[in-house]
Amino acid sequence: MHPNEELIQKFYTAFQNKDGQTMVSLYHPEVEFHDPAFGHLKGKEAGAMWLMLLERSQNLTIRFSNIKADDTKGSANWEADYNFSKTGRTIHNRINANFTFKDGKILTHKDHFSMWKWLGMAMGPVGYFLGWWPALGNKVRKEAVTGLQLYMKRKRM
């Protein structure tokens, strides 16, 4: 197995074990993360996001597969099952992740999933009918980033 495949596997195994500190330790200090829910996060924000999500998660189950990597880039598929804290609704999210590496760490991490499907699961009929509307996705992103900033302030990060 390529060392960067092992790095990705270690990241998702830590996620399964709710070990946020290990996840953060696998990120390069200059890491850049992107997904539809949080948008673009850099450095400490990216690591803090995982710590916050793990701290707040209820009934979180993670599965991962199809890890591939070489010296410069990698990818994996992962799935998350959990209850969305604001509505209590069950989420089953399927994510495709892409990575780049530097100095034996993850430098970029981009998660791709359908925001429309996620909004439908999280918000029910309103999410299904309005999930395509960019303003709803922007509202969710703004709330996610605001929550992350408050979390980081509270934890003195």
Side-chain angles (χ1 to χ4, degrees):
M1 182 180 281
H2 191 281
N4 287 332
E5 288 177 331
E6 291 176 3
L7 182 63
I8 295 170
Q9 183 165 348
K10 188 174 181 180
F11 182 86
Y12 286 113
T13 299
F15 198 3
Q16 284 179 322
N17 294 330
K18 298 173 180 57
D19 181 358
Q21 293 300 328
T22 295
M23 293 173 73
V24 171
S25 76
L26 300 174
Y27 271 174
H28 191 278
E30 299 168 2
V31 68
E32 294 190 31
F33 174 85
H34 185 272
D35 83 350
F38 282 89
H40 190 83
L41 303 174
K42 292 182 176 183
K44 289 182 181 181
E45 287 180 328
M49 177 206 55
W50 295 115
L51 296 172
M52 179 184 76
L53 292 176
L54 286 171
E55 188 175 299
R56 294 180 178 177
S57 69
Q58 297 177 3
N59 305 327
L60 175 67
T61 304
I62 301 295
R63 290 174 306 289
F64 60 92
S65 62
N66 298 325
I67 295 174
K68 297 175 185 157
D70 59 26
D71 290 341
T72 59
K73 63 186 183 320
S75 62
N77 298 326
W78 64 281
E79 298 180 41
D81 293 299
Y82 58 96
N83 293 335
F84 183 53
S85 60
K86 289 192 175 196
T87 62
R89 296 180 63 88
T90 301
I91 304 291
H92 175 79
N93 203 10
R94 293 180 182 173
I95 301 105
N96 298 316
N98 293 312
F99 304 90
T100 63
F101 310 99
K102 182 178 178 182
D103 302 329
K105 304 252 182 184
I106 297 169
L107 179 63
T108 64
H109 178 176
K110 295 181 182 179
D111 279 348
H112 307 276
F113 61 87
S114 170
M115 190 65 162
W116 173 70
K117 287 181 182 178
W118 185 89
L119 285 165
M121 289 181 279
M123 303 174 91
V126 171
Y128 283 115
F129 290 114
L130 297 178
W132 57 269
W133 188 36
L136 185 56
N138 290 339
K139 182 180 187 295
V140 168
R141 257 185 305 287
K142 185 176 180 183
E143 288 178 8
V145 170
T146 298
L148 177 59
Q149 290 168 345
L150 290 171
Y151 175 84
M152 291 178 72
K153 185 176 181 179
R154 194 170 56 252
K155 298 291 185 173
R156 296 189 176 125
M157 300 175 105

